[in-house]
């Protein structure tokens, strides 16, 4: 954790995402009482994911998309579910556009592209094609 925090302070954006993952899932130390073990801590995880999202780190953006997509599936209110799916679409769009801006290989974010396309089709069937187009334009503008 300390090395990732140092990397973050040195301007390495992916360090925020890696810290988010570390705190989301935890890490075992060399033994159960090891001081280098990291217990899962959701609040700390999302604190770091948010830092990564603000830095436009593609993995962190995609993690927000995954969260919103998962929350939409269990949401009982259709309007709220559609809103969450639109947010997920926006985050996937931002993640893929940022990865492209950073010259990532095409296959590095292919899964996010598929999720983005799937959500666009789903939302279009619900009559939200204009909202999808607007969200994509917004993602393009914020990625410049």
């Amino acid at each position: 954790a300390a090395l990732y925090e140092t990397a973050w302070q040195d301007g390495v954006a992916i360090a925020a995402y890696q810290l988010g993952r570390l705190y989301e899932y935890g890490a075992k130390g060399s033994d159960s009482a090891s001081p280098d073990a990291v217990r899962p801590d959701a609040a700390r995880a999302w604190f770091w994911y948010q830092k990564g999202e603000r830095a436009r780190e593609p993995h962190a953006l995609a993690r927000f998309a995954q969260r919103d997509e998962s929350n939409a599936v269990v949401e009982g209110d259709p309007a709220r579910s559609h809103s969450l799916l639109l947010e997920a679409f926006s985050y996937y769009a931002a993640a893929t556009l940022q990865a492209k801006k950073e010259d990532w290989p095409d296959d590095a974010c292919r899964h996010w592209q598929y999720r983005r396309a799937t959500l666009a089709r789903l939302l279009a069937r619900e009559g939200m094609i204009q909202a999808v187009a607007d969200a994509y334009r917004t993602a393009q503008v914020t990625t410049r």
Side-chain angles (χ1 to χ4, degrees), residues 58 95-97 99-100 104-114:
T96 57
L97 289 165
K100 183 175 182 167
W104 287 23
D106 289 337
D107 62 339
C109 61
R110 186 155 290 137
H111 177 72
W112 304 337
Q113 292 169 334
Y114 289 142

Side-chain angles (χ1 to χ4, degrees), residues 5-79:
E5 286 188 33
T6 299
W8 169 254
Q9 291 168 0
D10 290 343
V12 180
I14 197 169
Y17 169 75
Q18 293 294 358
L19 280 160
R21 281 188 54 85
L22 178 65
Y23 289 117
E24 184 172 8
Y25 299 105
K28 294 181 181 179
S30 52
D31 62 52
S32 61
S34 177
D36 56 341
V38 176
R39 296 193 190 288
D41 182 336
R44 259 179 124 172
W46 286 103
F47 169 83
W48 283 105
Y49 286 141
Q50 189 170 48
K51 283 185 172 284
E53 183 264 343
R54 287 184 186 144
R56 309 303 291 165
E57 200 291 311
H59 292 96
L61 292 163
R63 183 64 188 96
F64 273 86
Q66 293 163 344
R67 181 199 63 186
D68 289 345
E69 189 175 5
S70 294
N71 287 342
V73 171
V74 297
E75 176 59 53
D77 175 27

Side-chain angles (χ1 to χ4, degrees), residues 68-70 72-73 80-90 119 122-123:
D68 289 345
E69 189 175 5
S70 294
V73 171
R80 178 70 181 133
S81 178
H82 293 151
S83 177
L84 286 166
L85 290 175
L86 184 60
E87 278 297 308
F89 169 85
S90 297
L119 292 174
L122 181 88
L123 291 165

